[in-house]
């Protein structure tokens, strides 16, 4: 049977958060890290996936997905159209399927 441990990977970002290079941001990141380690759940979403503060580095994320060679990758996106355009470009670059949902 195929390994289903990575059937679905979620990446959650709080883009309005302060970056780590600011003292307030550093403290926010440390608090989120400690709470996630203690509870094994994210304090913001309640998910096992930790919310990342700041904006994602899409090229790094897609490069890592591509390097994992876990088979067919489909990216599902729901959010602002500007970000969707960036993600779609990365999907084309790496040969991933792209699906979006608008509410």
């Amino acid at each position: 049977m195929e390994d289903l441990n990575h059937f679905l990977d979620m990446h959650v970002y709080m883009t309005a958060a302060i970056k780590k290079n600011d003292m307030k941001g550093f403290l926010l990141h440390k608090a989120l890290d400690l709470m996630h380690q203690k509870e094994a759940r994210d304090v913001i979403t309640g998910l096992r996936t930790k919310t990342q503060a700041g904006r994602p580095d899409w090229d790094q994320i897609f490069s890592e997905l591509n390097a994992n060679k876990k088979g067919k990758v489909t990216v599902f996106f729901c959010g602002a159209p500007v970000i969707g355009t960036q993600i779609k470009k990365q999907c084309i670059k790496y040969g991933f399927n792209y699906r979006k949902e608008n509410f």
Side-chain angles (χ1 to χ4, degrees):
M1 177 177 229
E2 190 176 326
D3 179 19
L4 296 180
N5 287 331
H6 285 93
F7 172 74
L8 177 67
D9 285 332
M10 292 183 66
H11 298 260
V12 180
Y13 292 88
M14 185 170 48
T15 58
I18 303 167
K19 299 207 184 268
K20 285 183 182 181
N21 56 1
D22 178 284
M23 182 51 82
K24 287 185 224 171
F26 176 77
L27 294 173
L28 171 65
H29 285 261
K30 276 296 179 201
L32 290 173
D33 288 345
L34 290 171
M35 292 298 292
H36 189 263
Q37 288 174 4
K38 180 181 177 188
E39 303 294 329
R41 295 263 175 219
D42 184 72
V43 269
I44 297 168
T45 64
L47 299 171
R48 288 185 287 162
T49 299
K50 186 166 114 20
T51 297
Q52 302 293 322
R55 294 181 182 224
D57 180 343
W58 295 119
D59 200 48
Q60 178 184 349
I61 292 167
F62 280 75
S63 177
E64 288 173 8
L65 284 171
N66 193 49
N68 285 336
K69 303 284 188 221
K70 293 285 185 176
K72 183 178 174 182
V73 174
T74 301
V75 176
F76 294 90
F77 172 76
C78 178
V82 171
I83 299 170
T85 301
Q86 294 173 5
I87 292 173
K88 185 176 183 178
K89 286 179 184 176
Q90 291 293 327
C91 286
I92 292 168
K93 178 179 177 180
Y94 288 98
F96 299 161
N97 293 316
Y98 173 76
R99 303 286 182 264
K100 67 177 179 171
E101 181 66 44
N102 296 321
F103 292 99

